[in-house]
Amino acid sequence: MKETIAIVDFGSQYSQLIARRVRENRVFSVVCAPDVDLQQLRDLNLAGLIFTGGPASVYEPGSPRCSEAMLELGVPVLGICYGMQISCLLLGAEVNAAPAREYGRVRLDVLDDTDLLGHVSSPASVWMSHGDMVRSLPKEFIPLARTANCPIAAVRHRHKPVFGVQFHPEVTHTACGGQILRNFLYNICGCRGSWEVRNFVTETVEAIRQRVGADERVICGLSGGVDSSVTAALLHEAIGDRLVCIFVDNGVLRKNEVQLVESTFREHFKIDLRVADAAERFLSRLAGVTDPQEKRRRIGHEFIEVFKEEARTIPHARYLAQGTLYPDVIESGQGLAGQAANIKLHHNVGGLPAELGFELIEPLRDLFKDEVRSAGEHLGLPKEIVWRHPFPGPGLAVRIIGEVTAERVKLLQEVDEIVLDEIRAAGWYAKIGQAFAVLLPISAVGVMGDGRSYEGQQVVALRFVETSDFMTADWVHLDYEVLGCISSRIINEVPGVNRVVYDISSKPPSTIEWE
């Protein structure tokens, strides 16, 4: 059984980041709520606990708490920011408002460079974000570090394996953060570092084989994105031709998307792939619709109808597989993360399991996105599938501002192909989190040949962002030469476009997609 670090989430914006940092050190991690049943933690091969930060004050009524019994599970505890304050408070310390808030990089003076702060040079630069602090400690605690405004910036208990840091070791702004986390995981918790994605693939394949009967089949809704593609590859490795994939051509896909999916899954992996050609059906449902939410609603409804029709033609189908990832599990309050809501369904198959009576198989529900990509590489998926940029469920319909018509889809498909070709040729594709074009519902005056052009001429906006988590994003400072080449090709090769603009807004306040 894999050794596990439980991340106890007190409302931190960094809880998933902490879990990823642990896994980057080849130790498995799960995120749980402060009120998690302690028996559930005992049932894990628990190696340690990390208490996250949070926006509340520990002394406020209703602030998130864990029981003191969590500190008695017999495993080391590392409290971060609020997590340090709550663990110290439970063990007799005094916590109250700091005389001055600390936010940003600060100088940390190390007082004890053993255990948690081993191999950390003093002074160190760390990232602080707090308005409260541990004011005084009982004699059972030893201060490990201080800053100018925070005399107790790191601690350890003399008799219990309880440690705390007021700063954030999980963020890249804390240069020594990686060393501190390694010290905790390996030197204090005694982890071996045996978590690997390839082991996950082996274990998951065996689990699927044990679950799916010899006469049963699994349906996978394939979108062509990395999540559903890796899900399909995993299932095919496990059950072979008892997997049936359904790919719905909704008429608003990228150019040649159907051919890419067919060549990858039908020809390369020899998967039973059913392609539903429903392009005209979807476009007729979108006729005259300009509201983006209505576009999404109609596409989602039509997708379910088409998928149901295809699924009913597959005998002995008992299971539906979908590419749910661990962030979906955390954010929907499932499992150890809480009891808040049902799991967020894949954008293309929402409601299908209940309507068709399928049992769900979610082989990726323990993985983060980067781990899914690693699994895809291990399974032999082509790099252009594994590392492709995200594409919205409603497809180009939400990148065409205004009404969606077959003519406008074809125009944007041509533009999109040029964009992707040029950033790949220039070596930018892997540096960009997402790159796409948006067709705007406006005409602009231009000069084409010897005359002025206006009627039927449209404007395209380019949107390139860099991001690590898609929660925040910055626009890409692309080389002007590359931008110029993209613009020139679009205007010269795509009839109907005479102006190209570049979106230089960040998220927040803007979103990544325009609709």
Side-chain angles (χ1 to χ4, degrees):
M1 189 176 180
K2 54 182 174 287
E3 58 194 5
T4 301
I5 298 291
I7 315 298
V8 183
D9 183 10
F10 289 93
S12 173
Q13 61 179 320
Y14 297 133
S15 60
Q16 292 186 35
L17 178 60
I18 296 169
R20 288 178 60 197
R21 291 286 182 258
V22 171
R23 293 194 189 185
E24 286 168 4
N25 283 284
R26 299 178 61 182
V27 179
F28 189 68
S29 61
V30 297
V31 176
C32 63
D35 60 353
V36 64
D37 185 340
L38 297 187
Q39 188 56 50
Q40 289 183 280
L41 294 180
R42 294 187 186 99
D43 291 342
L44 301 172
N45 184 18
L46 194 64
L49 296 164
I50 297 179
F51 291 1
T52 75
S57 294
V58 297
Y59 48 80
E60 289 179 346
S63 59
R65 294 287 185 103
C66 63
S67 68
E68 189 174 343
M70 192 175 281
L71 300 175
E72 305 294 338
L73 289 173
V75 297
V77 177
L78 172 62
I80 296 174
C81 197
Y82 183 99
M84 169 180 158
Q85 295 166 14
I86 191 67
S87 56
C88 289
L89 184 71
L90 290 171
L91 295 174
E94 179 188 359
V95 179
N96 50 36
R101 287 179 53 87
E102 284 186 306
Y103 183 80
R105 287 188 176 91
V106 300
R107 168 180 163 145
L108 181 81
D109 294 314
V110 176
L111 307 176
D112 184 337
D113 62 358
T114 60
D115 295 325
L116 186 65
L117 301 184
H119 307 291
V120 174
S121 299
S122 183
S125 177
V126 299
W127 185 264
M128 287 280 200
S129 179
H130 69 103
D132 296 332
M133 58 184 278
V134 175
R135 177 71 67 176
S136 65
L137 291 168
K139 63 181 185 302
E140 289 82 8
F141 277 96
I142 300 172
L144 304 180
R146 67 187 177 200
T147 71
N149 293 317
C150 185
I152 305 171
V155 298
R156 69 175 172 87
H157 197 278
R158 293 180 188 273
H159 312 300
K160 302 176 186 291
V162 177
F163 299 79
V165 292
Q166 184 58 64
F167 54 90
H168 288 271
E170 72 274 21
V171 301
T172 55
H173 305 306
T174 299
C176 59
Q179 181 63 56
I180 293 170
L181 289 175
R182 286 191 294 273
N183 289 342
F184 179 71
L185 296 173
Y186 287 102
N187 301 338
I188 295 171
C189 297
C191 295
R192 300 183 306 276
S194 56
W195 161 250
E196 291 185 287
V197 169
R198 64 181 179 182
N199 294 339
F200 162 84
V201 170
T202 302
E203 293 167 4
T204 303
V205 165
E206 183 57 32
I208 293 170
R209 286 173 179 161
Q210 293 297 321
R211 182 178 177 186
V212 180
D215 60 344
E216 296 173 334
R217 306 185 87 181
V218 179
I219 296 174
C220 178
L222 196 60
S223 70
V226 61
D227 301 340
S228 67
S229 297
V230 174
T231 297
L234 258 177
L235 283 156
H236 187 252
E237 181 80 9
I239 61 173
D241 59 9
R242 284 178 289 147
L243 168 69
V244 181
C245 289
I246 297 175
F247 180 80
V248 177
D249 180 1
N250 59 14
V252 285
L253 302 173
R254 285 190 171 117
K255 185 178 179 180
N256 300 324
E257 183 74 6
V258 175
Q259 292 87 336
L260 173 63
V261 170
E262 286 181 326
S263 65
T264 301
F265 294 96
R266 181 180 287 156
E267 298 170 18
H268 179 71
F269 281 98
K270 309 301 181 185
I271 288 175
D272 184 352
L273 173 66
R274 315 287 176 89
V275 177
D277 182 2
E280 291 185 7
R281 184 168 164 177
F282 277 84
L283 289 172
S284 66
R285 290 280 290 148
L286 291 170
V289 178
T290 59
D291 179 72
Q293 293 307 315
E294 183 62 17
K295 289 180 189 178
R296 290 176 182 274
R297 191 192 69 78
R298 293 195 183 200
I299 289 172
H301 178 269
E302 201 63 31
F303 181 93
I304 289 175
E305 293 305 310
V306 173
F307 196 97
K308 283 163 58 177
E309 292 168 12
E310 290 293 324
R312 290 192 181 106
T313 68
I314 301 169
H316 310 298
R318 179 178 175 183
Y319 301 96
L320 175 71
Q322 60 184 39
T324 305
L325 303 192
Y326 193 47
D328 300 328
V329 175
I330 295 170
E331 290 161 12
S332 61
Q334 282 286 302
L336 297 177
Q339 310 296 326
N342 292 327
I343 187 67
K344 182 172 67 178
L345 296 176
H346 189 284
H347 61 254
N348 277 341
V349 295
L352 283 171
E355 289 193 30
L356 297 182
F358 290 130
E359 294 182 35
L360 270 180
I361 291 181
E362 298 170 312
L364 308 181
R365 63 179 284 121
D366 287 334
L367 298 188
F368 288 101
K369 191 76 167 188
D370 56 323
E371 294 167 332
V372 172
R373 296 190 194 278
S374 296
E377 289 185 321
H378 182 75
L379 289 161
L381 281 169
K383 286 188 180 297
E384 58 265 30
I385 292 286
V386 172
W387 293 100
R388 71 188 324 198
H389 292 177
F391 189 68
L396 297 178
V398 291
R399 293 178 178 173
I400 296 173
I401 311 301
E403 184 179 6
V404 178
T405 65
E407 294 74 25
R408 299 189 82 201
V409 170
K410 185 176 186 302
L411 185 152
L412 188 55
Q413 285 176 332
E414 297 297 331
V415 170
D416 181 75
E417 183 179 47
I418 291 171
V419 169
L420 297 179
D421 281 351
E422 288 301 323
I423 61 173
R424 285 193 179 102
W428 275 91
Y429 188 85
K431 304 174 189 177
I432 298 173
Q434 200 166 351
F436 58 91
V438 179
L439 184 59
L440 305 183
I442 56 177
S443 296
V445 174
V447 178
M448 308 289 281
D450 294 327
R452 291 164 64 84
S453 63
Y454 179 79
E455 193 68 32
Q457 299 299 313
Q458 301 183 70
V459 179
V460 163
L462 304 181
R463 178 73 161 143
F464 302 164
V465 298
E466 53 187 8
T467 177
S468 60
D469 54 13
F470 292 92
M471 300 300 292
T472 62
D474 291 320
W475 60 278
V476 175
H477 294 247
L478 199 70
D479 291 341
Y480 290 162
E481 292 81 0
V482 179
L483 275 175
C485 184
I486 293 171
S487 175
S488 178
R489 280 198 60 193
I490 291 172
I491 292 171
N492 286 314
E493 297 177 27
V494 182
V497 178
N498 70 349
R499 191 177 298 268
V500 176
V501 298
Y502 190 51
D503 182 346
I504 59 169
S505 51
S506 296
K507 176 186 179 181
S510 300
T511 55
I512 294 178
E513 295 285 350
W514 277 45
E515 286 193 345

